[in-house]
Amino acid sequence: RSEHSVVSTKQFDISHCFGHKNLHTVQSRRSSSSDIMARISTALLYLCSLVGSTSAFTTPGVVRRAPAFRARSLSAADDATLVAEAVSAPAEPLEPKNVVMLFGRLAEKYIMLDASGGMCCYSACSDCEFRNPDGGYIMADQSASRPKWIPCYDERVFESSGKEHTSKWSTEIFTDGPAVTKEQFVSAITEMSFATPLGGPFVSNSAGKTMENIAAAEFLFDILAGGKEKLTKHRMQTQMKVLSGGEEGLTWPKFSEAMGVA
């Protein structure tokens, strides 16, 4: 074996396996291969059970650190599933049109999609940090004929182009501070203007003007607040980013999925 091997048949340190402060080195004896492998397997089992231990087997003059054990990174889809599972379903199924009335109050016709703030020059630079991993570009901003996105940000500014956008939800829900209670959230939602959005069952502007059923708004607060008594502006944009699957705006397909009416 190489002198830098992680495991040596000459000697190895299993002090961390037993939590001892002093170094206990086991000198190998002339034995069969099966006996050596049994000793190694036993030490490895103890090592694997010690998450957070900073060192592992050592060889003379060589200090080795145990590999860092980290939980698997959750994808945006995993995160969205966890958010949904953490909230109890409404006592009664939500009416799809009532969810549309909620979406049509929060969604907007315009969104700034480029999180870089318009810094990309769109010149196909090979080392550009603002391009997608596949080499494509994120559109700087986008508009639609009807409300399509709930922006996953409170405010965004493109200094290079002189553009800026403040989301509707951030100014009309958080009017008195950076946090709201469930009652304040629902009250603000019902007072917001409605416009027929892109997606979901059709609800006219006149039909959606008044939102008498507040079940959908209450459920959305539960999803965003995650069991807390108050919802902060920062948490709302963070949770919407999760629900959108990492996109800059929450569209009807993802919104309706989160609300359980997809």
Side-chain angles (χ1 to χ4, degrees):
R1 296 178 183 268
S2 169
E3 63 176 359
H4 296 297
S5 297
V6 174
V7 178
S8 170
T9 59
K10 291 295 183 182
Q11 80 174 20
F12 56 92
D13 175 16
I14 59 172
S15 62
H16 290 279
C17 299
F18 296 94
H20 294 166
K21 295 182 179 179
N22 298 323
L23 192 66
H24 294 283
T25 304
V26 179
Q27 300 293 339
S28 63
R29 299 177 180 177
R30 301 184 64 180
S31 56
S32 64
S33 298
S34 59
D35 181 51
I36 294 174
M37 293 307 297
R39 290 170 180 268
I40 294 174
S41 298
T42 301
L44 284 173
L45 287 174
Y46 276 106
L47 176 63
C48 291
S49 67
L50 297 175
V51 177
S53 178
T54 58
S55 60
F57 299 104
T58 62
T59 58
V62 178
V63 177
R64 287 289 180 181
R65 292 191 178 277
F69 291 94
R70 296 193 303 174
R72 178 179 65 87
S73 298
L74 294 176
S75 64
D78 292 329
D79 287 339
T81 300
L82 291 176
V83 170
E85 290 179 348
V87 179
S88 299
E92 297 182 5
L94 298 175
E95 291 290 337
K97 286 194 174 184
N98 192 43
V99 177
V100 171
M101 291 182 188
L102 174 62
F103 183 73
R105 281 169 162 74
L106 297 169
E108 302 185 46
K109 297 180 180 180
Y110 177 77
I111 190 172
M112 287 185 167
L113 298 170
D114 183 7
S116 74
M119 294 298 293
C120 184
C121 64
Y122 301 98
S123 299
C125 304
S126 59
D127 59 346
C128 179
E129 61 181 302
F130 303 123
R131 296 177 68 178
N132 288 327
D134 62 0
Y137 292 102
I138 300 174
M139 294 183 65
D141 54 0
Q142 198 170 358
S143 299
S145 59
R146 288 189 286 169
K148 180 179 180 180
W149 309 272
I150 304 177
C152 297
Y153 56 83
D154 60 341
E155 183 181 15
R156 185 159 285 176
V157 178
F158 289 175
E159 294 183 357
S160 60
S161 58
K163 294 182 178 180
E164 62 180 74
H165 177 234
T166 302
S167 59
K168 179 183 178 183
W169 63 262
S170 68
T171 57
E172 297 193 25
I173 294 178
F174 299 91
T175 56
D176 298 323
V180 293
T181 63
K182 188 173 187 177
E183 183 180 357
Q184 292 171 325
F185 179 84
V186 173
S187 176
I189 289 288
T190 57
E191 293 177 3
M192 294 174 73
S193 61
F194 171 82
T196 303
L198 287 173
F202 180 80
V203 178
S204 66
N205 290 343
S206 58
K209 184 177 181 179
T210 303
M211 188 176 180
E212 297 179 353
N213 189 333
I214 62 174
E218 291 179 328
F219 185 54
L220 178 60
F221 178 89
D222 293 338
I223 292 175
L224 298 176
K228 298 183 181 296
E229 293 184 0
K230 289 189 175 183
L231 172 65
T232 64
K233 182 185 293 188
H234 174 74
R235 182 175 178 84
M236 181 166 176
Q237 66 180 6
T238 300
Q239 293 299 89
M240 287 198 300
K241 185 85 170 181
V242 172
L243 296 176
S244 70
E247 299 295 329
E248 299 300 320
L250 184 57
T251 56
W252 171 255
K254 290 292 185 181
F255 184 80
S256 60
E257 181 180 355
M259 298 295 290
V261 295

